[in-house]
Amino acid sequence: MSPTRSTLKSVARQLRAVWMLLLVGVILSIASPVFLTSSNLLNVGLATSVVALLAIGQTYVIILAEIDLSVGATLGFSSVVTALVLRDHGLLPALAAGLGVGAAVGLVNGLLVTRTRMPSFIATLAMMSILAGMTLQLTSGNPVAVTDYDFQGIGQAYLAGIPVPVWIMVAGFGLFGVLLARTGFGRFVYATGDNHEAARLSGIRTQRVKILAFMISGLLAALGGFILTARLSTAEPTAGTGLELESIAAVIIGGTSLAGGRGRLIGTLVGALVLGVIDNGMNLLDVSPFLQSVVKGLVILLAVFLDRNVDALRALIPRRGPSAPPGSSAPDDGLPTVQPTPVPTLDPDAPRQQSAGVPAARPTP
Amino acid sequence: MRLRLQDVRKSFGENSVLRGVTFEVGPGEVVALAGENGAGKSTLTRVISGAHRPDSGQVLIDGEPVTFKDPQAAMARGIEVIYQEFRQNLFPHLTVAENIHVLDRERHFGRLLVSKKRMAREAQSVLGGLGMDIDVRRSVGSLGVAEQQMVEIAKATSHDLRLLILDEPTAALDERESQQLFQQVERLRAEGVSIVYISHRLDEIFQLADRIVVLRDGQVALNTPTAETGPAQVVAAMVGNAVDDFYPKEPNSRDDVVLRVRGAAAGRAFHGIDLDVRAGEVLGIGGVVGCGRSSLLRALFGLERFTAGTVEVDGRPVRLRGVQDAIRHKIAYLTPDRGAEGLCADLSVETNISLATLRRYTGPADLVRRGRERSACGDVMARLRVRAASPAVAMSSLSGGNQQKALFAKWVLSGPRVLLMDEPTRGVDVGAKTEIYRIINQLTADGVAVVLVTSDLPELVAMSDRAVVMRQGRVVAELIGDRLDEQSVLEHALVGAA
């Protein structure tokens, strides 16, 4: 066992997304002369920024072995609220209201998941539906125009030649990347996602950790809403539809495990860029928008397939000489290797503990 | 003879579990099968029921050697097992009637579709024949444990039952429910069914069995009619002669009491518990699974609520509303189930070790000071001899013993005053066990009060300065010095005899 094997493994997971990004990039730069121009690349960044921000929060939630299906609807709802407050009360109250809505939605999601023990899939699915309906009710289904010049700058201005949304995206990944990888809170996220009981028995307030992660997800959805609204100069009630799935796709392509406990934010950034580049490339190549969705689906399948089957694929590649590491030796006959039964189950007489909290005997009172 | 086992042997890899077992069970005979954990009782059960095949030796039913392909084949010959975890064999969302008839492939209860009425009628008659009054239309999940067990028995008797094996059937039953079960056993015996009754509880064994067979280390240590033996002889046969030279016990007990528990109770799990654990002392708690000792530890760590009583640490009263309270008062807890509750398998060894004390290594903006963390983890890993290729490898890459030592390291780092441990050497190889005992010595030398819950009797006797025995939620004995031996612990745990 080499000392850094687990680190290498985790880096390798991220690298697969990087390879995928490079592969798509090379293909597109050959297929289209426009692709590698700086203005096009900035376009990719601009177009990716919203999904990428949503995917940050989604990464936290997925590392905790939960899921947030409400981010798209949260984005739509907070956008509309922001635009309405902006019209009547000005910039700062609007920003506060938008972020407040995002955080509040996250708080409710977190409370539902931790206090009522509802699966997050259900809780956030319901939240998605509720928010989508409230957004339409609030606006009667009509877009809300935004005329505030400063607010529009969030989506349309440039700083040092780079669009502001790209700066926000970079800052978001920097900040939340450090939070996840370097802080105590980040540790608690990984520990809780890896083994909730073990984390709890180590004194970690796991419920609080989960609530905070859902709140981060809600806040970033609101931030994504600012960017989208500012870019379009209008808050579209249905703007967020489908973005929850895009954000999940970015996280998965980025190598984060849905089982929880594993994943890195840099992978998510690459995953979001893969999706953005594919979108952009297909626009450049004039592929029908209907087919774009098909291609994205295939990319998700490919990413997860590689993740699950990379060892099996490696085994198909013939190796020369004795250089093959013993761990990766594949059965030559194509038959599945018989896994030895794990040692603990070998002795059925070994003392077996009843599951925690359920006393095996009920003594008479 | 209904059942005859002839020199049955079974090993799993290096581990030989059954080493030539021979005994017989006649028609209408109840044979109690006793033995410590690991003696081979469950493996023997699985051999008889066709779940395992013996490496050598024979299983004879009515004088005819049989080799069962699977448990279904054994059932076809009228052999049924009711396992301790029998609830895994029931379908909680189906009705009682459906559960009873779930394996009846040849009977269809109707020409085309299943006739629920006919099914219910037949199930009712099966239950009626056993003198049970359970509504067959209820879902099994809505029944109590005892009723569920009765359904399992009814399921077994709905066929031509010839041999019934009951594995710890009263483990989940209270006194009254147990008596009902005994009546069923008597009834089946009167009908000529052969019964193998596996139990830790000597009082039950002596009440029910015609003959007692004791297994020890995969061999028959005792095989005698119940009338010709007594509890002391059975316990002696179970314990045998233990080797005790790999217990490097050092007495470090001082005078000052660190953990004081008075009148502690938690629902039905335990009640009226008074304990004093001194600095540097190892207090062992003996008793069978379900006697309340594991619940007591969980409650002392804030995982279950006390309904009465007081707890003091170093003379200060402590309120335990949750894990944080326990940790703040320097109480640490090693869980019995390392995989499910102890470790974060995908995270690094270092991350696991620092998890409970991470706040000591975080600085401004909650950033983890990696240098400090690493050096603290490195120190404690060296001190406890946690062997890992590096502190950065995943916890899952370590052996069971080293994982357990890493979990010790997590709590040693927190500087506990009280360390509660439940089955600290379960699933740990022999060499690592001794190292864990040395860690316990180090802790007691530092004045930590240790509470040791273990099913490993030799370990309990060798590593405890003093032991209490719990039975049915109460402390029934305190053993110290010469009186602390395996036989006394077992006697108190099983029968409560003086």
Coordinates of all heavy atoms in Angstrom, one line a residue, chain B residues 350-388:
Chain B
E350 N -5.8 10.0 9.9 CA -5.6 11.3 10.7 C -6.9 12.0 10.9 O -7.1 12.5 12.0 CB -4.6 12.1 9.8 CG -4.0 13.3 10.4 CD -3.1 13.9 9.4 OE1 -3.4 13.9 8.2 OE2 -2.0 14.4 9.9
T351 N -7.7 12.1 9.9 CA -8.9 12.8 10.0 C -9.8 12.1 11.0 O -10.5 12.8 11.8 CB -9.7 12.9 8.6 OG1 -8.8 13.4 7.7 CG2 -10.9 13.7 8.7
N352 N -9.8 10.8 11.0 CA -10.6 10.1 12.0 C -10.1 10.4 13.4 O -10.9 10.5 14.3 CB -10.5 8.6 11.7 CG -11.6 8.1 10.7 OD1 -12.7 7.9 11.1 ND2 -11.2 8.0 9.4
I353 N -8.8 10.4 13.6 CA -8.3 10.5 14.9 C -8.5 11.9 15.5 O -8.8 12.1 16.6 CB -6.7 10.2 14.9 CG1 -6.5 8.7 14.7 CG2 -6.1 10.7 16.2 CD1 -5.0 8.3 14.6
S354 N -8.5 12.9 14.6 CA -8.6 14.3 15.1 C -10.1 14.7 15.2 O -10.4 15.8 15.6 CB -7.8 15.3 14.3 OG -8.4 15.3 13.0
L355 N -11.0 13.9 14.7 CA -12.4 14.3 14.6 C -13.1 14.8 15.8 O -13.8 15.8 15.8 CB -13.2 13.1 14.0 CG -14.5 13.4 13.2 CD1 -14.1 14.4 12.1 CD2 -15.0 12.1 12.6
A356 N -12.8 14.2 17.0 CA -13.5 14.6 18.2 C -12.8 15.8 18.8 O -13.4 16.4 19.7 CB -13.5 13.4 19.2
T357 N -11.6 16.1 18.4 CA -10.9 17.2 19.1 C -10.5 18.3 18.1 O -9.6 19.1 18.3 CB -9.6 16.7 19.7 OG1 -8.9 15.8 18.8 CG2 -9.9 15.9 21.0
L358 N -11.2 18.3 16.9 CA -10.7 19.2 15.8 C -10.7 20.6 16.2 O -9.8 21.4 15.7 CB -11.7 19.0 14.6 CG -11.2 19.5 13.3 CD1 -9.9 18.8 12.9 CD2 -12.2 19.4 12.2
R359 N -11.6 21.0 17.1 CA -11.6 22.4 17.5 C -10.3 22.9 18.1 O -10.0 24.1 18.1 CB -12.8 22.7 18.5 CG -14.1 22.6 17.7 CD -14.3 23.9 16.9 NE -15.4 23.8 16.0 CZ -15.2 23.8 14.6 NH1 -14.0 24.0 14.1 NH2 -16.3 23.7 13.8
R360 N -9.5 22.0 18.6 CA -8.2 22.4 19.2 C -7.2 22.8 18.1 O -6.2 23.4 18.3 CB -7.6 21.2 19.9 CG -8.2 21.0 21.2 CD -7.4 20.0 22.0 NE -8.2 19.2 22.9 CZ -7.9 18.1 23.4 NH1 -6.7 17.5 23.1 NH2 -8.7 17.5 24.2
Y361 N -7.5 22.3 16.8 CA -6.5 22.6 15.8 C -7.0 23.6 14.8 O -6.5 23.7 13.7 CB -6.1 21.3 15.1 CG -5.9 20.2 16.1 CD1 -6.7 19.1 16.2 CD2 -4.8 20.3 16.9 CE1 -6.5 18.1 17.1 CE2 -4.5 19.3 17.9 CZ -5.4 18.2 17.9 OH -5.2 17.3 18.9
T362 N -8.1 24.2 15.1 CA -8.6 25.2 14.1 C -8.2 26.6 14.6 O -8.3 26.9 15.8 CB -10.1 25.2 14.0 OG1 -10.8 25.2 15.2 CG2 -10.5 23.9 13.2
G363 N -7.9 27.5 13.7 CA -7.4 28.8 14.1 C -8.4 29.8 13.6 O -9.6 29.6 13.5
P364 N -7.9 31.0 13.1 CA -8.8 32.1 12.6 C -9.6 31.5 11.4 O -9.1 30.7 10.7 CB -7.9 33.2 12.2 CG -6.5 32.8 12.6 CD -6.5 31.4 13.2
A365 N -10.8 32.0 11.3 CA -11.7 31.6 10.1 C -11.9 30.1 10.1 O -12.1 29.6 9.0 CB -11.1 32.1 8.8
D366 N -11.8 29.4 11.2 CA -12.1 28.0 11.3 C -11.1 27.2 10.5 O -11.4 26.0 10.2 CB -13.5 27.8 10.8 CG -14.1 26.4 11.2 OD1 -13.6 25.9 12.2 OD2 -14.9 25.9 10.4
L367 N -10.0 27.8 10.0 CA -9.0 27.0 9.2 C -8.3 26.0 10.1 O -7.9 26.3 11.2 CB -8.0 28.0 8.6 CG -8.6 28.8 7.5 CD1 -7.5 29.9 7.1 CD2 -8.9 28.0 6.3
V368 N -8.2 24.8 9.6 CA -7.5 23.7 10.3 C -6.0 24.0 10.2 O -5.4 24.1 9.1 CB -7.8 22.3 9.8 CG1 -7.1 21.3 10.5 CG2 -9.3 22.1 9.8
R369 N -5.3 24.0 11.4 CA -3.8 24.1 11.3 C -3.3 22.7 11.2 O -3.1 21.9 12.1 CB -3.3 24.7 12.7 CG -3.8 26.1 12.8 CD -3.4 26.6 14.2 NE -3.5 28.1 14.3 CZ -3.9 28.7 15.4 NH1 -4.3 28.0 16.4 NH2 -4.0 30.0 15.4
R370 N -2.9 22.4 9.9 CA -2.6 21.1 9.6 C -1.3 20.6 10.3 O -1.2 19.4 10.7 CB -2.4 21.0 8.0 CG -3.6 21.3 7.2 CD -4.7 20.2 7.5 NE -4.2 18.9 7.0 CZ -4.3 18.6 5.7 NH1 -4.8 19.4 4.8 NH2 -3.9 17.4 5.3
G371 N -0.4 21.5 10.5 CA 0.9 21.1 11.2 C 0.6 20.6 12.6 O 1.0 19.5 12.9
R372 N -0.1 21.4 13.3 CA -0.5 21.0 14.7 C -1.2 19.7 14.7 O -1.0 18.8 15.5 CB -1.3 22.0 15.4 CG -0.6 23.3 15.7 CD -1.4 24.1 16.6 NE -0.9 25.4 16.7 CZ -1.3 26.3 17.6 NH1 -2.4 26.0 18.3 NH2 -0.8 27.5 17.6
E373 N -2.2 19.6 13.8 CA -3.0 18.4 13.8 C -2.2 17.2 13.5 O -2.3 16.1 14.2 CB -4.1 18.5 12.7 CG -5.1 17.4 12.6 CD -5.8 17.4 11.3 OE1 -5.5 18.1 10.3 OE2 -6.9 16.6 11.2
R374 N -1.3 17.3 12.5 CA -0.5 16.2 12.1 C 0.4 15.7 13.2 O 0.6 14.6 13.4 CB 0.3 16.6 10.8 CG 1.2 15.5 10.3 CD 1.3 15.5 8.8 NE 0.1 15.1 8.2 CZ 0.0 14.8 6.9 NH1 1.1 14.9 6.1 NH2 -1.1 14.4 6.4
S375 N 1.0 16.7 13.9 CA 2.0 16.3 14.9 C 1.3 15.6 16.1 O 1.7 14.6 16.7 CB 2.9 17.5 15.4 OG 2.1 18.3 16.2
A376 N 0.1 16.2 16.5 CA -0.7 15.5 17.5 C -1.1 14.1 17.2 O -0.9 13.2 18.0 CB -1.9 16.4 17.9
C377 N -1.6 13.9 15.9 CA -2.0 12.6 15.5 C -0.8 11.7 15.4 O -0.9 10.5 15.8 CB -2.7 12.7 14.1 SG -4.3 13.4 14.2
G378 N 0.3 12.2 14.9 CA 1.5 11.4 14.8 C 2.0 10.9 16.2 O 2.3 9.7 16.3
D379 N 2.0 11.8 17.2 CA 2.4 11.4 18.5 C 1.5 10.3 19.1 O 2.0 9.2 19.5 CB 2.2 12.6 19.5 CG 3.3 13.6 19.2 OD1 4.3 13.3 18.5 OD2 3.2 14.7 19.8
V380 N 0.2 10.5 19.0 CA -0.7 9.5 19.6 C -0.7 8.2 18.8 O -0.8 7.1 19.4 CB -2.1 10.1 19.8 CG1 -2.8 10.2 18.4 CG2 -2.9 9.2 20.7
M381 N -0.5 8.3 17.5 CA -0.4 7.0 16.7 C 0.9 6.2 17.1 O 0.8 5.0 17.2 CB -0.3 7.3 15.2 CG -1.7 7.6 14.6 SD -1.6 8.2 12.9 CE -1.3 6.6 12.1
A382 N 2.0 6.9 17.3 CA 3.2 6.2 17.8 C 3.0 5.6 19.1 O 3.4 4.5 19.4 CB 4.3 7.2 17.7
R383 N 2.4 6.4 20.0 CA 2.2 5.9 21.4 C 1.3 4.7 21.5 O 1.6 3.8 22.2 CB 1.6 7.1 22.2 CG 1.6 6.9 23.7 CD 1.8 8.2 24.4 NE 0.6 9.0 24.5 CZ -0.3 8.8 25.5 NH1 -0.1 7.9 26.4 NH2 -1.4 9.5 25.5
L384 N 0.3 4.7 20.7 CA -0.7 3.5 20.7 C -0.3 2.5 19.6 O -1.0 1.5 19.4 CB -2.1 4.0 20.5 CG -2.6 5.1 21.4 CD1 -4.1 5.2 21.3 CD2 -2.3 4.8 22.9
R385 N 0.8 2.7 18.9 CA 1.3 1.8 17.9 C 0.2 1.5 16.8 O -0.2 0.3 16.6 CB 1.7 0.5 18.5 CG 2.9 0.7 19.5 CD 3.5 -0.7 19.8 NE 4.2 -0.5 21.1 CZ 4.7 -1.6 21.7 NH1 4.5 -2.8 21.2 NH2 5.4 -1.4 22.8
V386 N -0.4 2.6 16.3 CA -1.3 2.4 15.2 C -0.5 2.3 14.0 O 0.3 3.2 13.6 CB -2.2 3.7 15.1 CG1 -3.2 3.5 13.9 CG2 -2.9 3.9 16.4
R387 N -0.6 1.1 13.3 CA 0.2 0.9 12.2 C -0.5 1.2 10.9 O -1.5 0.6 10.5 CB 0.7 -0.6 12.1 CG 2.0 -0.8 12.9 CD 2.5 -2.2 12.8 NE 1.7 -3.1 13.6 CZ 1.8 -3.3 14.9 NH1 2.8 -2.6 15.5 NH2 1.0 -4.1 15.5
A388 N -0.1 2.3 10.2 CA -0.7 2.7 8.9 C 0.5 3.1 8.1 O 1.5 3.6 8.6 CB -1.6 3.8 9.1

